[in-house]
């Protein structure tokens, strides 16, 4: 199996540390608001990675953190704490906000057919581990104190920034921001002190004073706690390359003298009309809105699978509509097939090659459609193979119930026309088609998977 490693900027053969076992860490949400559909793209990419590993018979231990403290509104460790800001916005406590948005996040994952990690681990449940890691760094001389916290001295680490290939000279020259008491522009907070004049909702005692951990230290501490160091694969969105993952690597390698993870994989962004989806602007799309407009979350998943995870994807409602139509069409075809029997080795081989080629899902989907249209194989063969494919695709094809009655080609065409009419909200046409289907002797039922019919 080949994957693209951001660290080497190369597509590499994947070699697990332990035979047949993979340790996977994926950076989770900051639970101060809904996740937008851009964030969700990253989790779908990580789900595909995990499913492909499972498909290759690896056992996967997957850890995902929940950032419920420490993520400030600016990646340069300034600004407000996103959690406390979210709490103020909604008139709730930071703890309530964390609980609420964690719950919504998990529902989003479920709706999108994402397999849950073995463990969700909260930053606030691992304060002791984070303090211990900072102590280790302090002992080794990597830290210094300022008026607002304990900072990591990046100039002490010769290869700082290797993941992002940061040019330190260029950074220094280009720095226009006020560094405050920081010694280097890239230095970052390990521990922040609570303000003297104010009690924070989330704060803890530490050897340096009352305060809260920086954002990056949580992932370093929790990844090593659950997966050991080094572990196999660490993932996130591409925005994590220059700051968050760069700093995770710096802390962990400085403390332990060995790599944090062997492979670093990053999903490209989802954008809206060329602009980045951003929560700070207040305008962002959620899965809830997609559902409100009548689309199924799996149609969004199907849309995402059509673009390689390392390519930027521009979201549009038209593209989502096309994905919904495509998925309904797929469900209808599968519903008309016979029970699974022996599979289709040739297509299975091609599919495996595609997914093992750095998760080439667009190619994998093309192979699936090629098989669907192949006139040679019986539908029982195709059914067996498509259910196998769905272990990676995660489109819920195993749940599609077979039509009890064999449908004529005419009825099938009418059903598909009606699905299209419905998804285009052309109700007149849809009613007209319902009548035509009923005239052929079927009762019509509308389900989230599209039109279903039964013999009257
Ligand atoms: P956050 O909740 O901001 O910590 O982000 C959660 C995950 O979403 C991280 O892995 C980010 O890298 C990723 N992410 C943020 N914005 C986007 C976007 N527009 N498209 C894809 N992934 C994103
Ligand atoms: Zn992280």
């Amino acid at each position: 199996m080949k994957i693209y490693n951001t660290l080497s900027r190369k597509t590499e053969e994947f070699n697990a540390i332990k035979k047949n076992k993979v340790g996977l860490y994926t950076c989770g949400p900051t639970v101060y608001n809904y996740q937008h559909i851009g964030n969700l793209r990253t989790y779908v990419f990580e789900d595909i990675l995990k499913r492909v590993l499972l498909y290759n018979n690896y056992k996967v231990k997957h850890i995902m953190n929940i950032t419920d403290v420490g993520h400030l509104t600016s990646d340069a460790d300034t600004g407000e704490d996103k959690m406390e800001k979210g709490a103020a916005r909604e008139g709730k406590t930071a703890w309530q906000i964390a609980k609420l948005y964690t719950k919504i996040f998990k529902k989003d994952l479920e709706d999108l057919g994402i397999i849950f990690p073995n463990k969700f681990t909260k930053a606030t449940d691992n304060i002791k581990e984070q303090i211990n890691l900072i102590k280790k760094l302090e002992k080794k001389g990597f830290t210094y104190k300022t008026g607002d916290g304990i900072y990591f001295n990046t100039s002490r680490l010769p290869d700082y920034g290797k993941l992002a290939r940061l040019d330190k000279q260029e950074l220094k020259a280009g720095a226009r921001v006020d560094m405050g008491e920081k010694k280097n522009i890239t230095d970052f907070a390990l521990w922040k002190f609570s303000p003297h004049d104010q009690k924070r909702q989330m704060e803890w005692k530490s050897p340096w004073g009352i305060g809260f951990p920086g954002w990056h230290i949580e992932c370093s501490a929790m990844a090593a706690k659950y997966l050991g160091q080094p572990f196999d694969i660490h993932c996130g969105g591409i925005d994590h390359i220059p700051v968050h993952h760069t700093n995770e690597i710096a802390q962990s390698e400085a403390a332990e003298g060995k790599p944090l993870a062997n492979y670093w994989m990053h999903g490209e962004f989802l954008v809206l009309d060329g602009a980045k989806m951003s929560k700070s602007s207040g305008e962002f799309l959620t899965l809830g809105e997609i559902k409100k407009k009548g689309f199924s979350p799996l149609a969004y998943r199907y849309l995402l699978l059509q673009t390689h995870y390392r390519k930027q994807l521009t979201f549009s409602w038209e593209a989502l509509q096309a994905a919904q139509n495509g998925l309904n069409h797929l469900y209808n075809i599968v519903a008309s097939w016979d029970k699974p029997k022996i599979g289709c080795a040739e297509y299975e081989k091609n599919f495996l090659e595609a997914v093992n080629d750095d998760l080439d899902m667009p190619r994998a989907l093309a192979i699936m459609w090629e098989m669907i249209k192949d006139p040679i194989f019986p539908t029982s063969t195709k059914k067996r193979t498509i259910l196998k494919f769905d272990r990676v695709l995660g489109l819920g094809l195993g749940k599609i119930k077979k039509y009890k009655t064999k449908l004529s080609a005419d009825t099938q065409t009418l059903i598909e026309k009606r699905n299209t009419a419905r998804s285009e909200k052309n109700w007149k046409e849809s009613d007209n088609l319902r009548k035509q289907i009923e005239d052929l002797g079927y009762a019509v039922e509308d389900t989230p998977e599209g039109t279903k019919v039964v013999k009257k």
Side-chain angles (χ1 to χ4, degrees), residues 192-290:
K192 292 275 281 187
F193 302 136
S194 293
H196 297 299
D197 52 349
Q198 182 194 328
K199 185 165 165 46
R200 283 173 45 92
Q201 296 182 41
M202 291 175 156
E203 58 180 21
W204 295 266
K205 281 190 193 138
S206 82
W208 313 281
I210 293 177
F212 58 100
W215 172 35
H216 321 298
I217 198 81
E218 66 170 89
C219 287
S220 284
M222 294 191 284
K225 174 176 172 179
Y226 292 108
L227 299 172
Q229 185 173 331
F231 60 92
D232 294 293
I233 312 178
H234 194 312
C235 300
I238 46 156
D239 57 326
H240 282 350
I241 300 171
V243 182
H244 183 51
H245 287 171
T246 286
N247 293 344
E248 276 187 42
I249 289 175
Q251 301 162 150
S252 295
E253 297 196 357
E256 305 296 340
K258 51 188 177 188
L260 177 59
N262 287 345
Y263 299 85
W264 290 79
M265 294 178 73
H266 295 93
E268 247 292 354
F269 263 29
L270 179 90
V271 295
L272 290 178
D273 303 328
K276 183 181 144 186
M277 278 223 110
S278 140
K279 269 179 262 191
S280 46
S281 69
E283 270 183 48
F284 59 90
L285 269 176
T286 62
L287 198 63
E289 268 153 275
I290 280 187

Side-chain angles (χ1 to χ4, degrees), residues 99-114:
K99 201 167 167 201
L100 172 69
Y101 288 109
T102 302
K103 193 169 159 213
I104 296 172
F105 170 65
K106 288 184 180 171
K107 177 76 172 77
D108 284 351
L109 295 190
E110 218 178 293
D111 283 350
L112 286 166
I114 291 174

Side-chain angles (χ1 to χ4, degrees), residues 376-395:
I376 294 174
F377 294 100
T379 63
S380 59
T381 301
K382 295 182 183 181
K383 180 81 183 270
R384 170 101 189 185
T385 296
I386 211 162
L387 290 182
K388 244 184 164 177
F389 291 174
D390 200 51
R391 278 163 42 198
V392 176
L393 304 173
L395 293 171

